[in-house]
Protein backbone atom coordinates (compact mmCIF):
# COMPACT_ATOMS: atom_id res chain seq x y z
CA UNK A 1 0.00 0.00 0.00
CA UNK A 2 1.30 3.43 -0.93
CA UNK A 3 -0.16 6.60 0.51
CA UNK A 4 0.57 9.82 -1.35
CA UNK A 5 0.11 13.31 0.08
CA UNK A 6 1.09 16.54 -1.62
CA UNK A 7 1.83 20.16 -1.01
CA UNK A 8 2.92 22.91 -3.35
CA UNK A 9 4.96 26.07 -3.16
CA UNK A 10 4.91 29.10 -5.42
CA UNK A 11 7.70 31.68 -5.54
CA UNK A 12 8.18 34.96 -7.35
CA UNK A 13 11.04 37.43 -7.28
CA UNK A 14 14.66 37.30 -6.19
CA UNK A 15 15.89 35.52 -3.07
CA UNK A 16 15.88 38.54 -0.70
CA UNK A 17 12.76 40.44 -1.71
CA UNK A 18 10.84 37.61 -3.34
CA UNK A 19 7.83 36.03 -1.76
CA UNK A 20 6.33 32.59 -1.78
CA UNK A 21 3.31 30.71 -0.57
CA UNK A 22 2.79 27.12 0.51
CA UNK A 23 -0.43 25.14 0.22
CA UNK A 24 -1.26 21.57 1.15
CA UNK A 25 -3.59 19.05 -0.41
CA UNK A 26 -5.74 18.87 2.73
CA UNK A 27 -6.15 22.64 2.96
CA UNK A 28 -4.43 22.77 6.36
CA UNK A 29 -2.01 25.17 4.67
CA UNK A 30 -3.63 27.54 2.21
CA UNK A 31 -1.34 30.11 0.56
CA UNK A 32 0.75 30.32 3.75
CA UNK A 33 3.43 32.98 3.16
CA UNK A 34 7.13 32.25 3.29
CA UNK A 35 10.27 34.03 2.14
CA UNK A 36 13.79 35.08 3.04
CA UNK A 37 12.48 37.25 5.86
CA UNK A 38 10.42 34.42 7.42
CA UNK A 39 13.36 32.05 7.16
CA UNK A 40 16.26 34.24 8.24
CA UNK A 41 14.76 37.33 9.90
CA UNK A 42 11.92 36.00 12.13
CA UNK A 43 9.15 37.76 10.23
CA UNK A 44 5.56 36.46 10.25
CA UNK A 45 4.98 33.43 8.05
CA UNK A 46 6.47 29.98 7.82
CA UNK A 47 9.67 28.45 6.42
CA UNK A 48 10.86 25.03 5.28
CA UNK A 49 12.59 24.20 8.58
CA UNK A 50 9.44 24.96 10.59
CA UNK A 51 7.42 22.74 8.28
CA UNK A 52 9.94 19.91 8.64
CA UNK A 53 9.78 20.35 12.43
CA UNK A 54 5.98 20.19 12.32
CA UNK A 55 6.04 17.06 10.17
CA UNK A 56 8.66 15.35 12.30
CA UNK A 57 6.98 16.13 15.64
CA UNK A 58 3.58 14.98 14.35
CA UNK A 59 4.96 11.76 12.87
CA UNK A 60 6.99 11.00 15.99
CA UNK A 61 4.01 11.49 18.31
CA UNK A 62 1.86 9.16 16.21
CA UNK A 63 4.63 6.55 15.96
CA UNK A 64 5.19 6.69 19.73
CA UNK A 65 1.47 6.19 20.27
CA UNK A 66 1.68 3.06 18.11
CA UNK A 67 4.72 1.75 20.04
CA UNK A 68 2.93 2.38 23.33
CA UNK A 69 -0.23 0.63 22.10
CA UNK A 70 1.79 -2.39 20.99
CA UNK A 71 3.35 -2.48 24.49
CA UNK A 72 -0.11 -2.26 26.13
CA UNK A 73 0.12 1.37 27.24
CA UNK A 74 -2.06 4.33 26.34
CA UNK A 75 -0.77 7.88 26.60
CA UNK A 76 -2.96 10.49 28.22
CA UNK A 77 -0.82 13.09 26.47
CA UNK A 78 2.25 13.17 24.22
CA UNK A 79 3.89 16.47 23.30
CA UNK A 80 6.78 16.29 20.87
CA UNK A 81 8.77 19.38 19.94
CA UNK A 82 11.18 19.13 17.02
CA UNK A 83 13.82 21.82 16.70
CA UNK A 84 15.48 21.93 13.28
CA UNK A 85 18.94 23.53 13.04
CA UNK A 86 19.86 25.20 9.74
CA UNK A 87 23.57 26.03 9.50
CA UNK A 88 25.62 27.90 6.97
CA UNK A 89 28.34 25.69 5.48
CA UNK A 90 30.96 26.19 2.78
CA UNK A 91 28.63 25.42 -0.11
CA UNK A 92 25.44 27.01 1.24
CA UNK A 93 23.18 25.77 4.01
CA UNK A 94 22.32 22.41 5.53
CA UNK A 95 20.01 21.01 8.16
CA UNK A 96 22.64 19.83 10.61
CA UNK A 97 20.53 18.55 13.48
CA UNK A 98 17.01 17.87 14.65
CA UNK A 99 16.37 17.78 18.39
CA UNK A 100 13.27 15.90 19.48
CA UNK A 101 11.94 16.68 22.94
CA UNK A 102 9.16 14.38 24.13
CA UNK A 103 6.99 14.92 27.19
CA UNK A 104 4.27 12.44 28.02
CA UNK A 105 1.75 11.40 30.62
CA UNK A 106 1.33 7.62 30.57
CA UNK A 107 -0.20 5.63 33.39
CA UNK A 108 1.80 2.66 34.69
CA UNK A 109 4.94 2.93 32.55
CA UNK A 110 8.46 3.05 33.99
CA UNK A 111 10.99 5.65 32.86
CA UNK A 112 13.18 2.84 31.54
CA UNK A 113 10.40 1.38 29.37
CA UNK A 114 9.36 4.87 28.21
CA UNK A 115 12.91 5.72 27.17
CA UNK A 116 13.25 2.37 25.38
CA UNK A 117 10.07 2.99 23.37
CA UNK A 118 11.10 6.58 22.63
CA UNK A 119 14.47 5.50 21.17
CA UNK A 120 12.79 2.72 19.19
CA UNK A 121 10.33 5.29 17.85
CA UNK A 122 13.08 7.78 16.93
CA UNK A 123 14.75 5.10 14.84
CA UNK A 124 11.52 3.80 13.28
CA UNK A 125 9.54 7.00 12.67
CA UNK A 126 9.05 7.42 8.89
CA UNK A 127 10.10 11.07 8.98
CA UNK A 128 13.20 10.22 11.07
CA UNK A 129 14.13 7.68 8.41
CA UNK A 130 13.75 10.38 5.76
CA UNK A 131 16.22 12.75 7.42
CA UNK A 132 19.89 12.64 6.54
CA UNK A 133 21.06 14.41 9.69
CA UNK A 134 21.78 13.80 13.34
CA UNK A 135 18.62 13.43 15.42
CA UNK A 136 18.91 13.76 19.19
CA UNK A 137 16.22 12.82 21.70
CA UNK A 138 15.32 13.98 25.19
CA UNK A 139 12.41 12.53 27.12
CA UNK A 140 10.32 13.49 30.13
CA UNK A 141 7.71 11.25 31.66
CA UNK A 142 5.31 13.26 33.81
Amino acid sequence: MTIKKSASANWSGDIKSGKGSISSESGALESQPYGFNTRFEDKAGTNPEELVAAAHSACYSMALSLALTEADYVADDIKTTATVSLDEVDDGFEVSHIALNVEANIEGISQLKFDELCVQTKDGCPISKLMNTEISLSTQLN
Side-chain angles (χ1 to χ4, degrees):
M1 174 175 79
T2 300
I3 298 169
K4 295 182 180 185
K5 301 293 181 185
S6 66
S8 62
N10 292 354
W11 183 268
S12 62
D14 65 29
I15 188 63
K16 284 245 180 166
S17 62
K19 294 190 182 343
S21 66
I22 299 171
S23 297
S24 63
E25 174 184 348
S26 69
L29 298 172
E30 186 64 41
S31 299
Q32 192 63 24
Y34 81 104
F36 185 90
N37 60 0
T38 65
R39 194 173 196 182
F40 298 106
E41 298 172 357
D42 292 327
K43 299 295 181 186
T46 193
N47 57 70
E49 293 73 35
E50 179 181 69
L51 296 168
V52 166
H56 202 175
S57 61
C59 186
Y60 184 90
S61 290
M62 289 181 74
L64 180 57
S65 177
L66 173 61
L68 288 164
T69 299
E70 289 175 344
D72 293 323
Y73 297 100
V74 176
D76 294 321
D77 183 57
I78 299 170
K79 179 183 180 189
T80 305
T81 303
T83 303
V84 174
S85 296
L86 179 69
D87 291 313
E88 192 167 4
V89 294
D90 292 338
D91 60 347
F93 290 88
E94 74 178 18
V95 172
S96 60
H97 184 254
I98 299 172
L100 294 174
N101 181 30
V102 184
E103 296 179 33
N105 293 312
I106 306 161
E107 181 107 12
I109 194 169
S110 69
Q111 185 70 51
L112 184 65
K113 184 64 174 179
F114 177 66
D115 289 345
E116 175 189 315
L117 292 175
C118 285
V119 169
Q120 173 188 320
T121 299
K122 179 182 75 78
D123 296 338
C125 167
I127 298 297
S128 292
K129 290 178 180 180
L130 173 70
M131 300 302 165
N132 185 25
T133 192
E134 177 188 356
I135 301 171
S136 64
L137 174 67
S138 65
T139 65
Q140 180 178 331
L141 184 60
N142 298 324

